[in-house]
Amino acid sequence: MSYTVELDINRDDFATASTLRDITAYVENLQWNAGMAQPYDEVAQPSKLTLMLNNSDGRFNQGGTPGTEAVINGDFENWTGGVPDDWTSVTGTVTEVGPGESYGGTGSGECNLYNDGEILQDVVFLGFKAFEITIDIDEIIAGTLRVEIQSSGILPAYKRFIFSTPGVKKFKWYAEAHLTIWCYRHGSSDFDCTLANVSARPLEARYEGMLAKGTLIRVKDGSGNQLYKGKIAEVTQDVGAYSNRTVQIVCEDPMLELLDAEYSPSLLEGATVDQALAEIFNKVVIAWPYKHMYWMLGVEGASELDVSTKLYSPPATDFNTGSYALPYIGDNMERGRGLDAQSMIRELVKTEFGGLFYWEPRTSTFTFRTRRWGIEPTTVDSVWSTADFARVKSSYAKDLYNDITIEYEPREIGAAGSILWEESGLPIRIKAQETKVFQVRYTDPDDRNTPCGAKDLIQPALGVDVFAYDEWYGPAIDRSKFFLVRLEAAGGTAKIEITNMRTNREFLITTLQLRGTPILRRPRRKVTAQDGPSIRDNGQHPHEWQVSMLDSEDYVQQAADWLLSKFKDPAVNFEEVELTLDDNSARLAEALAVKTGTHLTITDSWTGHDADYFCVGERHQLMGGGSNAHTFIWTLKPASRDQYWLLGVSGRSELGYTTKLAF
C-alpha cells in the first residue's frame, strides 16, 4: 500500500484535478497526530502535520523574481486597423483610448472593451512553466470584467477570474506549450472597461506562491482514503550553498481557529451539550476550508454569489446527543473578561464526565462524543498482542482517585423586569445621525459588583429605559422618540445600539438602562464521594472537578459517585502502544483503520493481560515519500472502567466486581 501527499494548488478544496498537486515524490518524511494526547483528555489540542520536502531542484522556492515578459504588446502601445497588435478581437467593440479614459476616449496606449468587446492572446512557449499573471485595469465604468485563462497539457484546463473594480490584479497559473488569456464581459449588463496592461511572466520555481498560509495539504492511503487534511501554518526553507535544500511545512486543522474565536453565548435553557455546541458553530464563523469560498461583502473574488463563492455554512459536525439537559447554558461564563469558544467548549464537555470533543482529520469533521460512547456495548474492531508492538507504555494505579470532589454553581431566578444594567457615564451627547454602541454586562440588582445571567430581556422602551433631551428645549421634554434602538442579547452580555435619526439635532442621553429577569449566581458548593476501603489500601488520592454549568446537587452527587466507582481501584493499563509496519505487512490496512473511537482488544502472554481499550488518539510517522515504514502510535483509554451493569450478560452483570451502575 502506498501513500499520496497532495497540495491544493488551486485553493478549491481539491475540486479541480491537477497533475501538479501530487507532491509525494518529494516527501522525505512526514508525521501527524489526531485525537487526544492523554487517555482522559476531554478536548483535543489542534492536530498538526509536519512535512519535509526535497527541494534540490528549487521547485518549492518562494519569493523569486518573475522572468521575461511572455505577452506580446501587453501594454497596448501598438495598434493596426483598430485592433491591438498580436491580440485577437473576437467580437464587439474594441478601441484604443488613453489613460483614465473610457469608451469614446481619444487618447492612446490603452485598450477599451465596450459591451461585447473581447480580446485574447495565445502565448506559445517551450515546456512546462508557472506564470505570474497581472491584469492592470485602469477603469471599469460599467459591468464586470471576466478574465479566462486557458491552457493545455495540464489540468485544470481553464479558470475564470471576475473583477468589478479597477487596479492591478495578480494571480499564479500553470501551463504547458501555450497559454491563452481571454478578457471579456461577465454577464449581460452594460460593459465599459479599460485595460492598461496584461502581463504573463514565467516563474523559475514551479510551486512559486503555492505554499501560502492557509493552503490545504492532504494525505491519502493507497486506497484513496483520506488520513489527514489541514492548512499550511508555517513554511521553513533551508537555503544556502551548503544547505540540505529542503522545505519544512507545518499544517494545522481548524481546531485552533475555533478555540481562539471570540464568542458571546446565547442563553439556552434545558439544552444538551450537542445543542449548545451547534449554537457555537452557528455563531462563530469558522471558514473551512477557505474563507474565499464563502460570500464576503465587498471582497472582490468572494462577493459574486454562485459565481466565485457561496453562502457560508458551518463545517461538518458529528455530535452525539448529550446525556443531560443542562438547566442554563451561557449565563455564567462571561465574567467581565470576555469569552472565547475554547472556554465554552471545555465547560460544556466537562458536564459529560467522560465526553470527548475533537477534530477528525479523516473526514474533516468536528466530533463530540458523550460519556456513553465508551460504555455502550460495541463490537471489538481488532485484536492485538504485545508481540505486535515495538513499544508498550504501561502504568499501574496511575489514575487512582478515591476522594472525589465536584464544585458546582447553583442559580436562582430573580424578579422579572429587574434593572440589570445602567449606563454609568451619563449624560452622553449623541450627534445628528450618529450611532453609539454600549456593551452591557448584567449585574445582580441587589449587588452591582456581582455579575449575573439574564433571560426575558425587555426591549429598551423610549422615555422609560432611554431618555434624552434637546438643550434648546430643556431636560423636561423627552426627545428619545427620534432614536432607533437595537438590542442584541446573549446569556451574560448584551449590545445596545442607539442611532439619532435626526439630521440637524443633537441630544443628551440622561437615562439608559436594560431590564429583564436575572439568573443569579449563588456561592459555589461542593459534593464529595469517598471510598474507605480504597483509602485504607492505597492511601488517600483526591481529585477535584469544577463544573460551573451544573446547579443540581442530586445530579452532581450522582456524578461524583460515578467517578468514584470508575477510579477508586488500582489497575494495570496500557496507555500507549507503538508499532511499525511496511507496505508488505498483512496488517497494514487494519492498522490504518484504527482511529479515535476504535475498539481494541490487547493481550500480553507474559503478564496475562487481556483487556479492551478505546483508541482516543493517534500519531503517525512516515519516511521516504510515504512508501517505506509507517509508524503508528495509539493513545489508549481502558474500556473496563466504563463498563456498566447489564442484566444477564456474563462479565457485565457482577455488580461491584466486573461492572457498576451506569450514570
Side-chain angles (χ1 to χ4, degrees):
M1 180 179 290
S2 58
Y3 300 87
T4 303
V5 180
E6 296 178 314
L7 175 67
D8 189 23
I9 64 171
N10 297 305
R11 291 175 64 87
D12 60 3
D13 196 14
F14 302 98
T16 307
S18 172
T19 56
L20 271 180
R21 76 186 190 194
D22 187 348
I23 58 174
T24 311
Y26 307 98
V27 175
E28 292 192 350
N29 62 72
L30 74 154
Q31 52 189 330
W32 72 93
N33 69 285
M36 309 295 159
Q38 299 296 327
Y40 290 99
D41 285 352
E42 295 172 327
V43 176
Q45 293 296 315
S47 64
K48 182 178 292 188
L49 177 142
T50 302
L51 171 67
M52 187 70 74
L53 297 173
N54 184 319
N55 190 35
S56 57
D57 62 358
R59 69 181 55 226
F60 297 109
N61 288 344
Q62 304 295 304
T65 302
T68 304
E69 178 63 58
V71 174
I72 303 174
N73 194 32
D75 57 3
F76 305 108
E77 285 296 320
N78 303 310
W79 291 69
T80 302
V83 178
D85 291 356
D86 301 293
W87 289 89
T88 300
S89 177
V90 179
T91 184
T93 304
V94 177
T95 59
E96 184 175 14
V97 299
E101 293 182 342
S102 56
Y103 176 68
T106 59
S108 62
E110 296 193 358
C111 179
N112 179 261
L113 306 179
Y114 185 72
N115 285 347
D116 289 336
E118 302 180 5
I119 59 170
L120 67 85
Q121 182 174 148
D122 189 54
V123 180
V124 180
F125 51 91
L126 295 176
F128 172 89
K129 292 184 183 298
F131 285 91
E132 178 183 84
I133 297 177
T134 303
I135 311 294
D136 186 351
I137 307 171
D138 191 357
E139 296 282 352
I140 294 185
I141 304 301
T144 303
L145 173 67
R146 175 180 290 188
V147 177
E148 184 168 308
I149 310 298
Q150 300 178 348
S151 57
S152 64
I154 187 168
L155 294 174
Y158 75 93
K159 188 170 183 178
R160 297 185 179 100
F161 298 87
I162 309 299
F163 303 117
S164 57
T165 61
V168 177
K169 319 296 182 180
K170 288 187 178 183
F171 48 91
K172 304 292 191 302
W173 193 252
Y174 299 98
E176 187 171 1
H178 81 96
L179 169 74
T180 301
I181 303 175
W182 186 10
C183 302
Y184 59 104
R185 175 178 66 181
H186 171 69
S188 58
S189 60
D190 293 339
F191 185 49
D192 187 348
C193 172
T194 299
L195 300 175
N197 187 65
V198 176
S199 169
R201 301 173 66 187
L203 300 165
E204 292 298 325
R206 183 165 291 192
Y207 289 90
E208 167 73 38
M210 293 302 166
L211 302 184
K213 281 191 174 183
T215 299
L216 290 173
I217 284 183
R218 179 169 66 182
V219 179
K220 298 189 298 183
D221 65 20
S223 299
N225 300 309
Q226 179 175 301
L227 298 176
Y228 181 91
K229 184 164 70 173
K231 292 183 179 182
I232 294 177
E234 180 182 326
V235 178
T236 305
Q237 185 173 340
D238 191 8
V239 299
Y242 303 103
S243 71
N244 292 322
R245 302 289 173 87
T246 58
V247 171
Q248 178 176 284
I249 299 174
V250 176
C251 296
E252 292 179 344
D253 65 22
M255 179 71 83
L256 185 63
E257 183 182 354
L258 171 68
L259 296 183
D260 286 346
E262 292 185 5
Y263 176 60
S264 181
S266 301
L267 177 69
L268 301 178
E269 297 183 67
T272 51
V273 171
D274 59 296
Q275 293 172 322
L277 289 172
E279 202 260 351
I280 293 175
F281 280 82
N282 288 331
K283 292 185 70 172
V284 179
V285 178
I286 303 298
W288 177 266
Y290 296 114
K291 188 168 290 186
H292 71 256
M293 295 180 69
Y294 300 105
W295 181 83
M296 294 183 287
L297 177 64
V299 178
E300 193 168 55
S303 58
E304 300 82 21
L305 195 58
D306 293 330
V307 176
S308 60
T309 186
K310 58 187 176 182
L311 289 176
Y312 168 77
S313 59
T317 58
D318 180 12
F319 296 161
N320 289 164
T321 301
S323 306
Y324 178 67
L326 298 164
Y328 303 104
I329 299 174
D331 66 306
N332 67 343
M333 290 295 297
E334 212 291 330
R335 297 175 182 266
R337 301 183 299 272
L339 182 64
D340 53 47
Q342 176 174 191
S343 300
M344 190 70 180
I345 290 170
R346 290 189 182 280
E347 287 298 320
L348 284 167
V349 179
K350 273 184 185 180
T351 67
E352 279 291 333
F353 297 103
L356 300 179
F357 181 83
Y358 60 96
W359 169 261
E360 176 49 73
R362 296 172 185 246
T363 57
S364 299
T365 304
F366 282 103
T367 306
F368 165 66
R369 296 288 177 256
T370 69
R371 62 173 173 268
R372 293 188 178 275
W373 78 272
I375 63 176
E376 298 286 0
T378 62
T379 302
V380 173
D381 298 301
S382 58
V383 179
W384 301 80
S385 76
T386 53
D388 298 313
F389 303 124
R391 180 178 62 87
V392 177
K393 181 181 179 182
S394 176
S395 66
Y396 175 70
K398 181 177 180 179
D399 296 304
L400 189 151
Y401 308 122
N402 49 30
D403 183 0
I404 303 293
T405 300
I406 302 179
E407 184 177 272
Y408 65 103
E409 188 170 89
R411 264 78 122 219
E412 178 182 321
I413 303 301
S418 298
I419 297 175
L420 302 173
W421 170 81
E422 295 176 286
E423 171 58 38
S424 60
L426 300 173
I428 294 175
R429 190 176 300 276
I430 183 168
K431 298 177 182 179
Q433 297 289 293
E434 182 182 11
T435 297
K436 287 192 175 294
V437 179
F438 300 88
Q439 299 295 337
V440 173
R441 289 188 173 93
Y442 316 130
T443 57
D444 186 335
D446 298 323
D447 182 2
R448 290 303 183 192
N449 294 319
T450 302
C452 70
K455 58 187 248 181
D456 302 330
L457 292 174
I458 300 171
Q459 172 70 27
L462 300 177
V464 178
D465 300 306
V466 182
F467 188 97
Y469 73 90
D470 185 334
E471 290 179 291
W472 178 264
Y473 292 99
I477 302 177
D478 176 36
R479 312 297 282 181
S480 62
K481 63 182 180 180
F482 297 112
F483 289 172
L484 176 63
V485 180
R486 300 181 182 89
L487 172 64
E488 183 180 318
T493 62
K495 182 171 72 173
I496 297 176
E497 289 187 4
I498 298 179
T499 301
N500 180 0
M501 304 300 290
R502 289 296 297 268
T503 59
N504 59 354
R505 287 283 186 182
E506 66 177 23
F507 303 111
L508 282 173
I509 302 174
T510 57
T511 299
L512 181 56
Q513 63 184 28
L514 183 61
R515 293 175 293 147
T517 303
I519 303 175
L520 304 171
R521 305 171 188 171
R522 292 308 177 219
R524 293 194 174 197
R525 297 178 184 172
K526 296 181 179 181
V527 302
T528 60
Q530 296 179 329
D531 187 84
S534 177
I535 293 174
R536 177 198 62 204
D537 296 339
N538 304 286
Q540 191 166 11
H541 299 280
H543 196 79
E544 181 171 319
W545 280 263
Q546 294 183 344
V547 191
S548 61
M549 288 189 185
L550 296 177
D551 78 339
S552 167
E553 182 174 355
D554 289 343
Y555 182 79
V556 175
Q557 187 64 63
Q558 291 178 45
D561 294 340
W562 160 255
L563 293 170
L564 183 67
S565 69
K566 284 180 62 172
F567 295 110
K568 66 182 179 65
D569 297 319
V572 173
N573 291 313
F574 294 168
E575 297 181 27
E576 189 175 274
V577 295
E578 178 181 327
L579 69 156
T580 299
L581 303 174
D582 60 29
D583 281 355
N584 299 318
S585 172
R587 304 201 71 179
L588 180 59
E590 187 179 1
L592 281 169
V594 176
K595 60 180 181 177
T596 302
T598 298
H599 190 174
L600 308 171
T601 294
I602 300 178
T603 63
D604 179 54
S605 59
W606 185 53
T607 62
H609 187 82
D610 184 345
D612 283 2
Y613 291 87
F614 287 97
C615 176
V616 294
E618 50 179 312
R619 302 200 302 276
H620 300 261
Q621 297 176 0
L622 280 166
M623 302 295 291
S627 60
N628 296 321
H630 186 151
T631 297
F632 301 80
I633 302 173
W634 299 329
T635 301
L636 304 176
K637 180 179 179 180
S640 59
R641 278 184 169 162
D642 293 314
Q643 286 187 342
Y644 63 93
W645 181 78
L646 290 173
L647 178 63
V649 177
S650 179
R652 298 292 294 272
S653 59
E654 299 79 22
L655 191 60
Y657 291 92
T658 61
T659 185
K660 58 187 75 68
L661 288 176
F663 167 55

